[in-house]
Amino acid sequence: MNPYKRIALKALSHWGRNLKKNYRVYRRFTNVVSVCTGHGCRIADLEVAAGDRNIPVRLFHPDDPALGVLIFFHGGGWVTGNVDSYTHVCSNMANQTKNIVVSVDYRLAPEHPFPSGLEDCYDATREFFKNPGLLNCKADDITLIGDSAGGNLAAAVSLMARDRGEFLPKRQILIYPSTYNDHSENSPFPSIRENGTGYLLTSEEIQNYMDMYAPNIEDRQSPYLAPLLARDLSNQPDTLIITAEYDPLRDEGEAYGMRLKEYGNNVKMYRIKGALHGFFSIPWKSQHVSRSFEIINWFLNSYNGQSEELL
């Protein structure tokens, strides 16, 4: 990595040190940034009824006829981010993949700790699987996708769907997902120590997010919070996992892919060289985002489960 870029990243990495105190400021900041970025597709807001509550979702229709549906869960450590801050991401995703994108505005921690946000994601997904006509598609046309904490939620929804038996996605796309419950120096994954400082997202920041999302320590043993802890990973969707070279979460995301393969699932993994955690949501074009969409489109259009190498 360029040494000047490395110095700049180290300075920016101090931003998350007061996360627990300033998470509301972070939320406002991400919304301000999203206002400064444009979008280029048709957008519609609606609510999905789930028991005694309604879950807001935002639909992004591509300019071209839709080939399928992506149900998207945004990142932000389960604490920041929303459908507004991810509007540019989802708009670009819709046009790049020619899929309708459904962005779920799930409840955030710490006001709503685990499993509140996960239950929102599950309930919204279940309704679209039970009523695919709402999106003018078939259930088999629906793919789950999420980045970072959203990748964690996508994996958890797939596990929960198998366990509850109400529906089962055919495909899931996990972009640099969180899959484990320990991001301290005791983590079994080298990327936590190698990339845990000086690369924007720090291991300290990840631990702060986890503290706010799952204040109950017992919850951190749940496979719906840390999918790598699941005793049984059989009968999971065809899976694409995209990781970033300089990401603290890199190794646990790839470890999850390997465990899915051990249980007979079809898995494809790609590591984006030179990329940092969060690259997928930057508000400008980059080679890393372009490469990711090449991989995603290949997966959506022609995945056959035969190629499993990590590139």
Side-chain angles (χ1 to χ4, degrees), residues 59-274:
L59 273 56
F60 299 80
H61 295 266
D63 294 334
D64 298 317
L67 301 176
V69 172
L70 299 174
I71 297 183
F72 177 73
F73 311 125
H74 66 76
W78 311 281
V79 172
T80 66
N82 55 34
V83 294
D84 292 328
S85 65
Y86 268 77
T87 285
H88 69 284
V89 174
C90 293
S91 178
N92 188 41
M93 189 186 306
N95 284 328
Q96 292 289 334
T97 64
K98 297 180 175 58
N99 274 239
I100 296 171
V101 175
V102 180
S103 182
V104 180
D105 202 14
Y106 58 88
R107 288 172 290 178
L108 299 175
E111 296 90 342
H112 304 283
F114 173 87
S116 299
L118 171 59
E119 292 289 355
D120 286 351
C121 293
Y122 178 86
D123 288 345
T125 302
R126 179 189 60 202
E127 291 308 306
F128 286 116
F129 267 89
K130 286 188 172 182
N131 302 286
L134 294 172
L135 300 171
N136 196 28
C137 72
K138 297 179 293 184
D140 285 353
D141 297 329
I142 300 174
T143 300
L144 305 189
I145 181 171
D147 70 320
S148 192
N152 168 279
L153 291 167
V157 166
S158 293
L159 286 171
M160 190 175 282
R162 180 202 62 189
D163 295 344
R164 294 183 179 180
E166 296 182 294
F167 66 92
L168 189 63
K170 292 290 186 181
R171 294 167 300 277
Q172 63 178 354
I173 300 171
L174 314 179
I175 302 171
Y176 39 75
S178 169
T179 65
Y180 198 57
N181 62 357
D182 183 359
H183 302 95
S184 70
E185 61 182 13
N186 298 318
S187 168
F189 301 110
S191 63
I192 286 292
R193 290 174 290 280
E194 295 170 1
N195 305 326
T197 58
Y199 292 101
L200 291 185
L201 179 68
T202 67
S203 57
E204 178 185 0
E205 189 175 354
I206 300 170
Q207 292 176 78
N208 286 337
Y209 280 128
M210 183 66 73
D211 288 344
M212 287 188 282
Y213 181 51
N216 184 346
I217 301 301
E218 293 181 357
D219 285 339
R220 300 186 192 186
Q221 300 305 311
S222 169
Y224 301 144
L225 183 138
L228 259 176
L229 299 180
R231 294 182 179 179
D232 179 5
L233 285 174
S234 62
N235 197 24
Q236 285 300 278
D238 289 350
T239 301
L240 170 63
I241 297 177
I242 296 176
T243 60
E245 181 179 6
Y246 296 113
D247 183 358
L249 299 178
R250 181 194 68 205
D251 292 349
E252 64 189 73
E254 294 171 2
Y256 189 60
M258 295 302 294
R259 283 209 64 215
L260 285 171
K261 288 165 62 175
E262 290 172 4
Y263 278 84
N265 301 289
N266 293 324
V267 181
K268 183 72 174 178
M269 295 189 286
Y270 281 90
R271 180 188 296 179
I272 304 298
K273 294 181 179 179

